[in-house]
Amino acid sequence: MRKLIESTFVSLDGVIDDTRPSTASRAEPHHWGQPYWDEDHAGYAEKLSASADALLLGRVTYEGFAEAWSGREGPEAEHMNAMPKYVASRTLTETTWNATLLKGDVAEEVAKLKEQPGRNIVKWGTGELDRTLVEHGLIDEFHFWYFPVIVGAGKHLFEGAGFDTTHLKLADVNRFGSGIVVHVYVPK
């Protein structure tokens, strides 16, 4: 069975995005994290991505990633662009960027994806979809990238979650020279 790996950026005060408007028409997530994106950061992200042969994305992350990655070049971009993507959304009716819209019960569809042969499935970003995934015990590893920054405002990790308390076991810790610490947790 394939592993589903959740990977998300988190500030020290638990913020996972930034709702302050940028010069673009929508908020620019993680501008607070960009000063820390160095070789360690890129290497870990590449290693995580290389361990997978599919991505699972919520609508917001899908839209941001499709915009950011579809025009990039190079080996990492080729891998990211070629990977099948599975998108959970209640509002999208079609997708691009080698993506398939999950239809019906998302938990059932993700469970079916995990049963298919292949390598890991990586889900970048934490949001609404994660409530369903955690509630149904579908995430096999959590990679929380803690950035050495206090944001003060924004959406918090698992904000508004309606699931029961979920206990996790610390499986690994990765420290980067920039101050980022990635905690890897698995279900108990």
Side-chain angles (χ1 to χ4, degrees), residues 40-60:
D40 289 335
H41 177 280
Y44 191 89
E46 287 173 19
K47 184 176 112 182
L48 197 56
S49 183
S51 76
D53 62 3
L55 295 178
L56 173 63
L57 304 167
R59 180 193 53 82
V60 173

Side-chain angles (χ1 to χ4, degrees), residues 46 49 69 72-82:
E46 287 173 19
S49 183
W69 283 97
R72 291 187 189 176
E73 295 180 2
E76 183 185 2
E78 287 174 17
H79 176 71
M80 183 71 92
N81 291 326

Side-chain angles (χ1 to χ4, degrees), residues 92-107:
L92 291 177
T93 56
E94 59 183 46
T95 57
T96 61
W97 193 47
N98 196 25
T100 302
L101 194 58
L102 295 177
K103 301 193 190 274
D105 185 280
V106 171

Side-chain angles (χ1 to χ4, degrees), residues 14-79:
V15 174
I16 58 170
D17 74 356
D18 186 349
T19 57
R20 288 178 279 183
S22 70
T23 55
S25 61
R26 61 185 170 91
E28 183 179 332
H30 302 297
H31 84 275
W32 48 263
Q34 290 175 359
Y36 302 96
W37 296 1
D38 60 8
E39 289 180 16
D40 289 335
H41 177 280
Y44 191 89
E46 287 173 19
K47 184 176 112 182
L48 197 56
S49 183
S51 76
D53 62 3
L55 295 178
L56 173 63
L57 304 167
R59 180 193 53 82
V60 173
T61 304
Y62 161 73
E63 289 175 338
F65 272 34
E67 181 181 333
W69 283 97
S70 60
R72 291 187 189 176
E73 295 180 2
E76 183 185 2
E78 287 174 17
H79 176 71

Side-chain angles (χ1 to χ4, degrees), residues 4 15 22 24 75 80 84-85 87 99-100 116 119 121 126-127 130 146 158-159 165 173 178 184-185:
L4 176 58
V15 174
S22 70
M80 183 71 92
K85 291 117 185 127
V87 181
T100 302
Q116 294 175 358
R119 297 191 342 250
I121 302 166
T126 299
D130 291 283
Y146 290 100
F158 298 112
E159 188 173 296
T165 300
V173 176
S178 66
V184 178
Y185 291 96

